[in-house]
Amino acid sequence: IKFSYVTVEPVEKSKSNLANTIMAAAKFPKALIGGNWKCNGTVSSIRSMAEVLNKAGPFSAQSEVVIACPSIHLTALKGILRQDIALSSQDVCFKKGYGAYTGEISAEMLADAGILWT
């Protein structure tokens, strides 16, 4: 499971907000480019969306692309998206491990399916 932590230093009054944003961004090794599909997508529409993403040009080595789709589409997308596009679950159960949590998806289940972002 991959976690990202963001630390930003306090803004100095003598510098512009843009300068502070650039300075903060320079501390991160990669830019995160992500999209959340919310409660959208059908079996046929995810194929079309995956085709568009797969045809996109090369991504910068300084970026990581992650798509968060509804959980029902995670494994189907994993099989059709190009390898440099990661998938994320939109939701993960707050309980650790497995159990009688109807409708929930645990982090362990996601990791087992190769979904490393939540």
Side-chain angles (χ1 to χ4, degrees):
I1 305 291
K2 187 181 283 189
F3 295 94
S4 297
Y5 297 94
V6 177
T7 304
V8 178
E9 295 179 20
V11 174
E12 295 178 28
K13 292 182 181 181
S14 63
K15 295 182 180 173
S16 71
N17 285 338
L18 177 60
N20 281 309
T21 301
I22 293 169
M23 287 173 46
K27 295 179 183 179
F28 298 104
K30 288 190 175 186
L32 175 63
I33 302 167
N36 185 337
W37 291 1
K38 305 292 183 190
C39 188
N40 292 296
T42 62
V43 172
S44 63
S45 71
I46 65 162
R47 287 189 195 110
S48 298
M49 288 186 266
E51 186 177 324
V52 169
L53 291 167
N54 288 338
K55 288 181 179 178
F59 301 124
S60 165
Q62 297 304 313
S63 66
E64 187 153 2
V65 179
V66 181
I67 303 297
C69 68
S71 59
I72 195 165
H73 300 306
L74 284 169
T75 54
L77 272 174
K78 185 166 177 31
I80 59 177
L81 276 179
R82 62 193 227 194
Q83 295 298 308
D84 59 344
I85 300 174
L87 288 172
S88 173
S89 174
Q90 294 178 347
D91 192 23
V92 64
C93 184
F94 68 96
K95 296 284 188 176
K96 186 175 180 179
Y98 302 92
Y101 309 112
T102 303
E104 295 292 338
I105 298 175
S106 71
E108 291 82 359
M109 292 167 78
L110 291 165
D112 183 57
I115 309 300
L116 305 179
W117 286 83
T118 61

